[in-house]
Amino acid sequence: MNAIEVHNLSHHYNGRNVYQDLTFTVPQGSICGLLGKNGQGKTTLVNILMGFLKPTGGRCLVLGENSHSLSPDVRKRIGLLHEGHQAYEFMTIAQTERFFRGFYPDWKPDIFYSLVKKMGLSHRHRVGNMSCGQRSQVVLGVIMAQNPDLLILDDYSMGLDAGYRRLFLDVLHDFAAMDGKTIFVTSHIVQDLEQLVDTIFFLDQGKITRTGLKEFLNSFKKYVFHSNKGALPLEDEVIKGIERRRDLFTVYSYHDCDTVTERLSRQGVEVRDLRRADMTLEDGFIGLMGKY
Amino acid sequence: MISSILLKEWLKVKYFFIGVLALNIGVCLKIYFDIRGLILAEHPEMIWYEAIHLHNVFFKEIMFFPLVTGLILAAAQLVPEISRRRMRISLHLPLHRDWLLLLSVFTGLFFFLTVVGISAVLIYFTMRTWFPYEVSMTVLTTMGPWILAGILGYLGFTAVLLEPFKTRKVFLAIIFSVIVSAMYMGIGYGWLSPAMPYLVWLVPLFLLCVFESGHRFQQRGA
């Protein structure tokens, strides 16, 4: 069964096409990361999935229901982290717990307080007086205490230092280990997702590509070589991404070393010491999507 | 669920509620001391003549305070929700959007009616101190249009704040302002009483505007 199904989704904003015929599914029990450069519509997609934006065309099903008319029963099963760790800043920690408790019959106060306790703050501390990291813990506590079936996290790493990001990942790992739980996450910190997701969606210029994390890291390769004369490498069907720092070039490709060398030579590029280098997900992301 | 909504609304408005309550009580006290001073300084027959024949409303200083109260309470409830689009938190709760809005609005109206109710009672007892029962009783019918203006102002401002389209926002603001200003077109003891049974139907109409704006607010990216 799919936790999320998107069929032929189209959306345009101010005359600009954000998506055209976007189709993908997120199977139940999977941990999916949505990656894309700024402005490619990741938050817009989350907004559509949560019914905060009506798409121009197509259909989105979340836990079997149309995303722009989700019933309260389905919303109860979705833990949603809004971009910027949105929280009611006029509430204290205890008031936040009291407020959300009333809506969720399976509410687990011990989970909420165990996450909040790590900050060592009084329960009477106001959310508005917290740092971004502290607020993120309160929001995470709220989401986890709901015991949702589907987690949708919109850029959970925004404004968080390494410690809070790691804390988030620890909690998400524990959540993902439970049976049938699905996570759909976007983040600007791509290397964090490498430790969490099993499936990646690349969103680029209105199109979406799905791949397994391991499959991507095995098939997409990073090569480095030196060159200080001859032509500059160009992107084509073999060379997917190019980076340059002085005479050190990095190229990305789905092809093997020989094919890449041959293609570069054919482009008139002087290639010295070409070798395959270790590639992180962030490298792969830059190689595939580009820097800008 | 309901207690959670009530908690949230109270936390947002509590300081504003206390503020507008103090403001309204302050005006009521001023009116009390003004009338007292008038009675002591002038012949009671003159005061009687002014009230009954000239329709001089001695408590007219409070006329705009219900409207101001409504506007302040609406802003206190909505501004924390629409700034940085925090209302998405509530819109994601397992509760129907219209039911959520209705509970919020009813809570706001409860606070509003508490404030203006206390004002009306204070004005009534002020009038009752120096005027006959019949004159004192007209406090409610005289204040009726002002209280209705406050309710409509509260609902209208709520709808305007929720409305995501700028042109529609301006249009709604103009329409609501014109309707609310109609409540202030005349003055006198119970001057609008014959029309009040019809004018109260504006309340559900304004409430529908809140739901419609809320619907558009959610569908436009909240």
Side-chain angles (χ1 to χ4, degrees):
Chain A
M1 190 191 161
N2 292 317
I4 298 172
E5 285 180 35
V6 174
H7 301 283
N8 309 108
L9 181 72
S10 305
H11 191 65
H12 54 77
Y13 179 73
N14 280 349
R16 176 190 154 231
N17 259 345
V18 184
Y19 319 115
Q20 192 69 48
D21 266 346
L22 211 66
T23 298
F24 67 93
T25 57
V26 174
Q28 201 171 347
S30 62
I31 308 164
C32 298
L34 178 67
L35 300 181
K37 288 185 288 186
N38 287 349
Q40 293 301 317
K42 298 188 296 294
T43 295
T44 303
L45 184 58
V46 170
N47 281 338
I48 289 172
L49 290 175
M50 292 322 304
F52 294 133
L53 205 54
K54 199 171 179 179
T56 318
R59 202 161 69 110
C60 298
L61 297 176
V62 179
L63 297 177
E65 281 191 11
N66 207 321
S67 69
H68 64 266
S69 54
L70 292 176
S71 68
D73 280 342
V74 164
R75 281 208 297 271
K76 201 180 286 177
R77 295 171 57 203
I78 305 169
L80 176 63
L81 182 126
H82 304 271
E83 192 179 25
H85 310 106
Q86 295 275 18
Y88 282 124
E89 299 188 355
F90 48 84
M91 290 183 183
T92 63
I93 291 173
Q95 286 162 349
T96 301
E97 194 276 331
R98 217 173 113 201
F99 172 68
F100 283 99
R101 190 204 307 156
F103 294 97
Y104 298 94
D106 295 333
W107 181 259
K108 308 259 188 292
D110 46 329
I111 292 180
F112 175 83
Y113 282 116
S114 71
L115 284 167
V116 165
K117 199 176 147 190
K118 291 178 181 166
M119 300 183 294
L121 295 175
S122 152
H123 292 177
R124 283 182 295 177
H125 198 95
R126 262 182 57 144
V127 175
N129 295 334
M130 290 178 181
S131 69
C132 186
Q134 289 170 332
R135 196 172 68 239
S136 76
Q137 281 302 105
V138 174
V139 174
L140 185 63
V142 166
I143 294 170
M144 288 301 152
Q146 292 168 25
N147 190 24
D149 293 327
L150 168 65
L151 263 189
I152 297 181
L153 310 172
D154 189 9
D155 206 357
Y156 76 89
S157 53
M158 185 191 260
L160 300 188
D161 64 21
Y164 277 111
R165 282 192 349 249
R166 194 56 69 89
L167 209 55
F168 236 95
L169 283 176
D170 293 344
V171 175
L172 293 180
H173 268 287
D174 291 344
F175 177 80
M178 290 191 272
D179 246 5
K181 303 288 187 187
T182 311
I183 303 178
F184 187 73
V185 57
T186 74
S187 173
H188 278 99
I189 315 287
V190 180
Q191 71 260 31
D192 279 2
L193 295 188
E194 194 173 345
Q195 302 172 43
L196 178 71
V197 302
D198 53 39
T199 308
I200 311 166
F201 291 99
F202 289 110
L203 187 59
D204 188 29
Q205 292 175 3
K207 293 190 166 46
I208 203 160
T209 317
R210 177 188 165 161
T211 175
L213 175 70
K214 282 182 187 160
E215 182 194 335
F216 176 71
L217 292 176
N218 287 333
S219 61
F220 199 57
K221 301 171 192 79
K222 175 182 175 182
Y223 298 100
V224 290
F225 65 93
H226 290 271
S227 176
N228 47 17
K229 55 185 177 184
L232 292 174
L234 300 169
E235 286 182 25
D236 58 17
E237 66 275 14
V238 174
I239 310 294
K240 287 295 173 197
I242 303 159
E243 288 184 273
R244 180 187 182 179
R245 281 182 188 155
R246 298 173 66 89
D247 69 335
L248 179 70
F249 284 83
T250 304
V251 293
Y252 297 87
S253 177
Y254 283 107
H255 296 269
D256 61 25
C257 198
D258 292 341
T259 312
V260 170
T261 309
E262 190 269 330
R263 179 55 60 105
L264 289 169
S265 301
R266 222 193 308 161
Q267 287 182 358
V269 181
E270 179 222 27
V271 180
R272 280 191 287 123
D273 313 321
L274 186 135
R275 62 182 172 83
R276 188 173 169 186
D278 289 337
M279 186 187 78
T280 62
L281 179 60
E282 186 172 287
D283 290 333
F285 172 75
I286 296 291
L288 196 66
M289 316 287 275
K291 287 180 185 168
Y292 309 107
Chain B
M1 200 178 280
I2 292 172
S3 62
S4 290
I5 298 284
L6 296 180
L7 169 74
K8 184 183 73 160
E9 299 307 322
W10 169 244
L11 290 173
K12 281 188 291 186
V13 304
K14 61 182 177 185
Y15 297 118
F16 296 94
F17 173 76
I18 293 164
V20 289
L21 185 62
L23 190 71
N24 276 268
I25 291 173
V27 176
C28 290
L29 286 175
K30 183 182 182 300
I31 289 166
Y32 173 85
F33 288 114
D34 283 353
I35 296 176
R36 184 169 166 265
L38 217 57
I39 297 282
L40 293 174
E42 292 190 36
H43 291 296
E45 308 91 73
M46 280 305 295
I47 306 296
W48 174 263
Y49 181 79
E50 276 191 50
I52 304 301
H53 297 285
L54 301 181
H55 273 224
N56 187 358
V57 179
F58 291 105
F59 51 90
K60 67 180 174 218
E61 277 174 297
I62 203 156
M63 67 194 293
F64 291 108
F65 280 86
L67 178 61
V68 171
T69 302
L71 295 177
I72 288 175
L73 289 176
Q77 279 186 284
L78 261 294
V79 171
E81 299 278 2
I82 56 172
S83 63
R84 298 181 62 200
R85 304 188 293 178
R86 280 193 203 92
M87 197 163 177
R88 289 197 291 178
I89 301 168
S90 287
L91 289 172
H92 180 64
L93 292 170
L95 185 67
H96 192 276
R97 181 191 59 240
D98 291 344
W99 183 230
L100 171 84
L101 287 173
L102 193 69
L103 281 172
S104 303
V105 163
F106 276 7
T107 311
L109 285 176
F110 171 76
F111 293 132
F112 170 81
L113 290 172
T114 304
V115 173
V116 296
I118 289 170
S119 299
V121 168
L122 289 176
I123 300 283
Y124 168 79
F125 281 114
T126 296
M127 295 297 284
R128 189 79 188 89
T129 309
W130 292 290
F131 291 91
Y133 173 77
E134 288 77 7
V135 175
S136 312
M137 277 310 285
T138 60
V139 165
L140 294 178
T141 50
T142 305
M143 283 186 75
W146 306 339
I147 293 171
L148 184 62
I151 294 172
L152 298 179
Y154 169 83
L155 293 173
F157 198 33
T158 301
V160 168
L161 287 172
L162 278 174
E163 179 57 53
F165 296 99
K166 278 184 188 158
T167 323
R168 225 181 255 258
K169 223 184 231 299
V170 173
F171 178 75
L172 287 176
I174 292 169
I175 296 287
F176 294 153
S177 304
V178 168
I179 293 172
V180 167
S181 63
M183 308 298 153
Y184 294 103
M185 288 177 79
I187 192 157
Y189 291 96
W191 78 279
L192 205 58
S193 296
M196 284 303 279
Y198 306 101
L199 290 174
V200 290
W201 286 100
L202 287 168
V203 174
L205 291 178
F206 272 52
L207 193 59
L208 285 178
C209 290
V210 173
F211 291 146
E212 281 303 305
S213 292
H215 175 69
R216 284 190 291 272
F217 181 82
Q218 183 172 23
Q219 299 277 299
R220 288 286 297 176

